[in-house]
Amino acid sequence: MERGQRSRTTNHEPRRDHLPSPVEDPGVAATGKTTLAKALCEELQLPYIEGDELHPQANIDKMSNGQPLTDADREPWLALLRTTAEHIAAEESHKGKPQLHETKGVYVPSSAKQETPPDAPRRRTGAIMTCSALRNYYREILRGNLRPNLPEPMHELEPPPPPECMPTYFVYMKGERDMLLDRITKRKGHYMKANMVDSQLATLESPEEEEGVITVSMEQSTEEQMKIVMGELNRLTGGL
């Protein structure tokens, strides 16, 4: 049985400057994905999806016990992340302004809590998302290029938009093992254990040569990372 279905394509090339765009923040645990994602959420005025909070309890239980997730564990979760981003983009594109999304794991920029002037310029829609996305196969699900065969739909909205109507960009946070271990052992209250770092590093397929990927170092400050990311996003999208 095929593990996923390729999404359909259209004969029309959409204007990239008007497209909704998810910005994914992949990398091994403890690279600082959440800190950068929150900064991007405010700078781009886009909702932020915390991927860890959308894991089903069965996945959390496995990781809490030091057991690596399998592809079968990850596929429904990754599909949920993509469709959540699609729903957010569709709603905000329709409304034309940030919304107060009352969904688990979804946070909004401060601008969503303020009244938007009627003559305010229409902005790009999309979402920021944190997710380890260690393998190319996982990233293809997040790009919308693959739709795993799931037992039931994750959302009511069907059919999904074709990937070219919602291009996805990745900010890959690169880090060395010793620093990752140091950070993760200092974290309190998180289900990801230190012994999982080696498992994630072994699974990792670097996205650095893939299209639409921006690489930053976990050793850089958030300000340095933001400067790189914003510059590259402007280049990739033709202007935010």
Side-chain angles (χ1 to χ4, degrees):
M1 180 175 69
E2 292 182 356
R3 296 170 68 186
Q5 298 291 335
R6 283 278 169 182
S7 294
R8 69 186 186 280
T9 59
T10 66
N11 295 323
H12 303 287
E13 180 66 24
R15 289 183 57 186
R16 297 184 73 83
D17 58 332
H18 287 184
L19 298 177
S21 303
V23 179
E24 317 280 356
D25 196 356
V28 174
T31 53
K33 296 189 293 291
T34 297
T35 300
L36 179 57
K38 288 180 176 179
L40 286 169
C41 168
E42 291 298 330
E43 180 67 23
L44 295 173
Q45 298 182 48
L46 294 177
Y48 155 50
I49 303 167
E50 175 52 71
D52 282 350
E53 294 189 22
L54 296 185
H55 268 298
Q57 188 60 45
N59 285 6
I60 294 173
D61 291 344
K62 286 187 74 170
M63 290 184 286
S64 297
N65 291 322
Q67 300 177 47
L69 298 181
T70 65
D71 284 359
D73 296 324
R74 289 188 174 100
E75 285 171 353
W77 169 62
L78 292 165
L80 174 60
L81 294 180
R82 172 71 188 190
T83 52
T84 298
E86 290 170 350
H87 274 256
I88 287 173
E91 182 179 4
E92 296 209 344
S93 181
H94 177 69
K95 300 287 182 62
K97 63 180 182 178
Q99 301 297 304
L100 293 173
H101 301 281
E102 296 182 359
T103 304
K104 178 185 177 182
V106 178
Y107 302 88
V108 297
S110 56
S111 59
K113 303 168 187 177
Q114 303 168 1
E115 284 295 324
T116 304
D119 58 348
R122 189 174 181 84
R123 64 184 186 89
R124 178 184 293 273
T125 58
I128 311 297
M129 182 190 302
T130 53
C131 172
S132 53
L134 300 173
R135 295 180 55 210
N136 173 263
Y137 170 58
Y138 308 156
R139 295 188 288 273
E140 285 295 279
I141 296 174
L142 292 172
R143 289 183 174 106
N145 290 332
L146 284 173
R147 297 274 169 177
N149 295 315
L150 303 176
E152 59 185 34
M154 304 302 294
H155 284 286
E156 295 178 0
L157 182 64
E158 289 291 343
E164 65 270 21
C165 290
M166 193 173 172
T168 303
Y169 306 100
F170 288 86
V171 180
Y172 171 47
M173 304 192 71
K174 194 172 182 179
E176 297 299 324
R177 178 178 181 275
D178 289 346
M179 184 174 286
L180 292 166
L181 285 170
D182 180 66
R183 283 192 183 182
I184 206 166
T185 53
K186 293 177 179 176
R187 293 203 304 192
K188 305 297 182 183
H190 196 278
Y191 54 75
M192 182 64 74
K193 307 303 181 185
N195 68 322
M196 298 293 290
V197 169
D198 285 330
S199 172
Q200 287 200 336
L201 288 172
T203 303
L204 176 65
E205 297 172 0
S206 174
E208 291 174 272
E209 301 302 318
E210 297 173 10
E211 184 178 355
V213 174
I214 303 164
T215 301
V216 298
S217 170
M218 64 178 287
E219 296 184 41
Q220 294 171 316
S221 67
T222 302
E223 291 74 19
E224 291 172 321
Q225 293 170 345
M226 284 289 292
K227 184 176 180 180
I228 293 170
V229 172
M230 294 303 296
E232 285 298 293
L233 283 177
N234 270 295
R235 181 184 67 81
L236 289 167
T237 62
L240 293 169

